[in-house]
Amino acid sequence: MPTLIKEKNNTRTYTCENIEEVVSYIQEGAFMDMRNVPMLRMGANYRKRNGKEVLEAFCGMVTLSISNLPGEEETRMVMGRVKMIPHTLLAWRSEDKRSVYVVCRLEWTEENTPKTEEQMMAFQQNGYQLMHYIYSAQLVMNVDTAEPTLDNEVPCCYDAEAYYNPQALPFFVDGQKRSMPALNVPDQKTGLKLLPGLDEQQTMAFIYHNCYRKAMIEGRKKAASEDDWEQNVAEQLATYCFDSGLPIGYALSHTRLMPIARKTAFCLEMIFENAYAEEMLS
């Protein structure tokens, strides 16, 4: 059971909550009026005894924070992909809609049940390693790596669209470190260089419209007929945007406003996701 931590007057109180209660707190905004949003520890149960934190039990859940997303469009897309991953037990967005928090469940054999804090920590690290790899690959992005600990905390903040799947598949762990295959995913944080005299928004706008102009020229050349060119332009545009280092959310949201979206709206998101996924695996 997760640990819910509330803070008032510099004093922290600890309560163990079942996962369904945590979901309702998030979806219903139970703590919206509180000055300090309560924090969640999904890795282990903690109590306060004689003024000290005491570890009581291993929860068997691991959390991944996908942070510093460019904006709500990117966050919405990440949430959409997270929901499609069968391991996702719970997912919700931060208050500023720039981060997504994902929780997965761990399982192990009865004879391999972790008993000591050291064993629990090894299982937590093992689970985080698997989760980080799977989600980096499925989301087609470099997910920030955080040192997993039993007392990692994430905010229990309001998100009416939080996702919960009680039938989510667990990660089976044994506490052993594994060598994971290399991933080559686009790094959207460093892929864009500012143009001289322009800020980030102006740079992205300049680059996008340059990509759009080139895509219109090349896409129409490759079209089978004058009546069937919009999808070709969209595919070319997605490739140019990826090569230029534009965040997928920015490129997609602007393309939805362009004339080519009239005939490609049904497949536009898939076109961009395919282009940005092309060089994901080495």
Side-chain angles (χ1 to χ4, degrees):
M1 296 171 67
T3 302
L4 183 71
I5 304 173
K6 299 178 183 177
E7 185 171 342
K8 186 176 182 180
N9 299 326
N10 295 321
T11 300
R12 306 187 103 193
T13 59
Y14 300 72
T15 57
C16 293
E17 309 280 355
N18 65 50
I19 190 68
E20 287 78 14
E21 287 175 323
V22 169
V23 173
S24 67
Y25 292 155
I26 294 171
Q27 291 179 335
E28 297 170 13
F31 307 114
M32 288 179 63
D33 297 331
M34 293 183 65
R35 183 175 181 180
N36 296 318
V37 175
M39 304 300 289
L40 288 167
R41 289 184 183 175
M42 311 300 290
N45 297 147
Y46 284 85
R47 294 284 188 185
K48 205 165 188 179
R49 292 179 184 169
N50 300 322
K52 294 183 179 180
E53 281 188 0
V54 177
L55 172 64
E56 287 202 330
F58 186 49
C59 287
M61 285 182 277
V62 63
T63 305
L64 186 70
S65 297
I66 305 163
S67 306
N68 300 316
L69 296 168
E72 286 195 40
E73 182 74 20
E74 285 81 4
T75 305
R76 184 191 66 80
M77 291 189 64
V78 168
M79 277 292 289
R81 294 180 193 170
V82 161
K83 292 177 183 178
M84 297 177 67
I85 300 175
H87 297 283
T88 302
L89 174 67
L90 173 62
W92 72 102
R93 298 168 296 173
S94 61
E95 288 184 294
D96 64 2
K97 301 300 184 286
R98 296 283 302 277
S99 299
V100 174
Y101 308 112
V102 186
V103 178
C104 293
R105 186 180 282 126
L106 306 180
E107 280 193 9
W108 49 87
T109 59
E110 185 176 349
E111 61 271 16
N112 203 25
T113 300
K115 297 180 177 63
T116 67
E117 185 171 349
E118 183 179 0
Q119 290 172 338
M120 294 176 191
M121 190 64 237
F123 274 60
Q124 193 76 359
Q125 290 176 334
N126 188 193
Y128 182 86
Q129 181 188 31
L130 291 169
M131 184 180 182
H132 185 274
Y133 180 84
I134 294 296
Y135 280 76
S136 292
Q138 294 292 322
L139 298 176
V140 199
M141 64 189 300
N142 281 317
V143 177
D144 290 338
T145 303
E147 184 65 27
T149 63
L150 295 173
D151 59 0
N152 277 358
E153 297 179 2
V154 288
C156 187
C157 51
Y158 172 58
D159 183 4
E161 299 177 9
Y163 172 77
Y164 175 56
N165 176 21
Q167 279 77 48
L169 299 177
F171 287 112
F172 287 90
V173 294
D174 55 13
Q176 302 298 316
K177 290 186 177 180
R178 289 179 172 80
S179 177
M180 308 300 288
L183 278 177
N184 178 26
V185 297
D187 188 348
Q188 293 304 312
K189 294 180 181 178
T190 60
L192 186 69
K193 294 182 179 179
L194 298 185
L195 296 175
L198 301 181
D199 61 22
E200 184 178 54
Q201 288 298 317
Q202 291 170 331
T203 295
M204 288 196 293
F206 182 91
I207 292 175
Y208 176 81
H209 288 289
N210 190 47
C211 290
Y212 188 82
R213 179 183 59 81
K214 291 193 298 180
M216 285 291 290
I217 296 171
E218 294 300 320
R220 298 191 76 151
K221 283 182 181 178
K222 296 178 181 179
S225 70
E226 186 61 28
D227 297 326
D228 184 31
W229 56 269
E230 287 91 345
Q231 185 165 333
N232 284 283
V233 172
E235 291 171 354
Q236 199 70 52
L237 175 59
T239 299
Y240 287 150
C241 288
F242 172 78
D243 291 342
S244 300
L246 286 173
I248 185 173
Y250 180 93
L252 185 55
S253 63
H254 278 65
T255 304
R256 287 194 177 110
L257 304 176
M258 297 300 180
I260 62 170
R262 287 178 295 182
K263 290 188 177 181
T264 60
F266 71 98
C267 63
L268 202 56
E269 188 164 319
M270 184 179 296
I271 289 173
F272 274 78
E273 289 189 353
N274 288 342
Y276 276 69
E278 186 176 356
E279 296 182 20
M280 179 184 71
L281 292 172
S282 60

